[in-house]
């Protein structure tokens, strides 16, 4: 075993997990390469506005301003000791190398192949969505997308925004919009009051986070924002733009006038790169998703490949920081370098505790498993390839597709620009519902490069890498 890696360790993602990974490797004397498609470090939760935008951290990150500042400073402090490549998209992993292309708007640039011997994947998560009538109408955004608009550029997605879905982000983003001065038309939670109440003892494991959640809901109510639980969407009204959302609660339909809907049903780990790296996967019932198998230290089934943060399973920003540090220690251990084993054990214990809190959150905001059954046949599921719920159900009913990759081959669902990042989970839910089984039983959508759309300037068309 050598204590010098063949290539500099590569970290994909400069969010909480990636930054703490880099910091730990730098402290051990290594010079990692940190690649992130975003313009500045911080990841999703601590996303920074563009250079030149000045909004106080307290306004941007609320109660988390201190943590955001600490993470931003940590990365700024190690910049001279890392090779940092912002605005760079990792779009493929193949034969021990990453394919990376500049993610620089219209300027573009050619794709480059970067070999690795040690790779830490910390690409975070994305919104989980299910279709409903009208969900592709202009003015319907994901919750995360609506928050990106606010955090990155100080813009609201509408002048009267209705928030729909479930999970802690639902209340947080509604609160952030209201605090920023936007009109919040309401918060419609698909989970019920009984779910929230049942989960209270478990959520008290982390009283600080629980108190913040209670505060957001209380603040919204106190400021006259209607908050309803046990809701299901019926349809978006409006052609060129959202005009209202019709929704149902306890069997009665109601209508809320709005010009934007921000919706999301929790988060889904971004796992395509781990898949392309050849990692073994397992189904995680809490995430309702296939995630890379990993040890408590973040090692995957592939030697030299580690995962950390939400991309390995949703656990939140604090856990992402700890997982990043732990994965870096694992990498150092694997190089035969001395590490502080007491620190490694402490991190693993804290990560286990945070997983227990995560379970309580899942109980408080359960996935609406009945939703898939209520999606009308003519609702588009895959907007890239224009595949409807009815087309998917027919393939399942005809006995032709009992597995998600077969469904893709037959219907083209998930074959478009998003490569299933948006519609893959929804298709699995619809297929499972049509077959009378669970999403774990319909298999895992295999990842294909490019994991995200590429500019023509990447110059890969002649290389037959993109399929
Ligand atoms: C849109 C969104 C908003 C969120 N807002 C909040 C919030 O306000 N509060 C909260 O508590 N939690 C929030 N979360 C959850 C929170 O982001 C995570 O718990 C936390 O940020 C996880 O940290 P991470 O380092 O694992 O991932 P992230 O913070 O997501 O960082 C991952 C980084 O990887 C980069 N990346 C991803 N794929 C590639 C690729 N292929 N090539 C190059 N770079 C790549 C991304 O640009 C990103 O900077 C949000 C999640 C999302 C998806």
């Amino acid at each position: 075993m050598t204590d010098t890696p063949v290539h500099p360790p590569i970290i994909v993602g400069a969010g909480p997990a990636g930054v703490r990974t880099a910091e730990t490797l730098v402290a051990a004397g290594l010079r990692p390469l940190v690649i992130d498609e975003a313009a500045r470090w911080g990841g999703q939760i601590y996303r920074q506005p563009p250079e030149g935008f000045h909004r106080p951290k307290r306004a941007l990150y609320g109660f988390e301003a201190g943590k955001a500042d600490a993470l931003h400073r940590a990365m700024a402090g190690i910049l001279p000791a890392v090779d940092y490549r912002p605005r760079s998209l990792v779009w493929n992993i193949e034969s021990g190398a990453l394919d990376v292309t500049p993610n620089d708007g219209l300027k573009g640039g050619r794709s480059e192949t970067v070999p690795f011997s040690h790779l830490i994947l910390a690409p975070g998560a994305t919104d989980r969505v299910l279709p409903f009538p009208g969900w592709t109408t202009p003015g319907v955004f994901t919750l995360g997308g609506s928050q990106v608009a606010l955090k990155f550029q100080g813009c609201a997605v509408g002048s009267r925004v209705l928030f729909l879905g479930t999970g802690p982000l639902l209340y947080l983003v509604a609160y952030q919009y209201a605090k920023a001065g936007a009109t919040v038309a309401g918060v419609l939670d698909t989970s019920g009051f009984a779910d929230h109440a049942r989960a209270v003892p478990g959520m008290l494991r982390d009283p600080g986070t629980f108190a913040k959640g209670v505060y957001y809901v209380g603040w919204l109510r106190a400021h006259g924002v209607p908050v309803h639980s046990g809701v299901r969407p019926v349809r978006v009204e409006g052609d060129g733009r959202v005009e209202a959302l019709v929704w149902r609660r306890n069997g009665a339909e109601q209508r809320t006038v709005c010009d934007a809907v921000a919706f999301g049903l929790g988060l889904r780990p971004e796992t395509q790169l781990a898949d392309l790296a050849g990692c073994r996967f397992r189904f995680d019932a809490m995430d309702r998703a296939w995630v890379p198998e990993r040890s408590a230290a973040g090692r995957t089934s592939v030697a030299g490949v580690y995962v950390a943060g939400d991309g390995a399973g949703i656990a939140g920003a604090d856990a992402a920081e700890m997982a990043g540090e732990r994965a870096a220690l694992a990498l150092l251990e694997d190089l035969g370098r001395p590490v502080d084993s007491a620190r490694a054990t402490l991190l693993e214990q804290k990560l286990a505790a945070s997983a227990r809190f995560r379970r309580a959150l899942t109980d408080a905001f359960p996935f609406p498993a009945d939703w898939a059954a209520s999606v009308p046949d003519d609702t588009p599921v895959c907007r890239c390839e224009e595949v409807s719920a009815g087309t998917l159900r027919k393939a399942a009913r005809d006995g032709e597709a009992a597995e998600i990759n077969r469904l893709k081959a037959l219907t083209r669902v998930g074959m478009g620009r998003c490569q299933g990042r948006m519609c893959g989970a929804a298709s699995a839910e619809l297929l499972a519902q049509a077959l009378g089984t669970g999403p774990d039983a319909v298999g895992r959508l295999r990842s294909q490069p490019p994991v995200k759309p590429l500019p023509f300037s990447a110059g890969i068309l002649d290389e037959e890498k993109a399929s």
Side-chain angles (χ1 to χ4, degrees), residues 308-333:
D310 275 4
I314 306 302
D318 293 352
E321 289 192 42
M322 292 188 279
E325 182 183 349
R326 183 61 190 96
L329 293 178
L331 190 158
L332 294 169
E333 283 163 354

Side-chain angles (χ1 to χ4, degrees), residues 262-284:
F263 94 108
L265 300 164
L267 298 174
R268 186 186 57 67
E270 287 279 45
T271 56
Q272 303 92 327
L273 293 178
D275 193 5
L276 294 173
C279 299
R280 234 180 3 243
F281 275 61
R282 67 175 177 84
F283 188 81
D284 186 281

Side-chain angles (χ1 to χ4, degrees), residues 68-88:
D69 191 49
L71 194 92
H72 294 160
R73 282 175 191 274
M75 184 68 182
I78 58 169
L79 271 188
V82 300
D83 288 319
Y84 172 50
R85 283 206 210 169
R87 296 193 184 92
S88 300

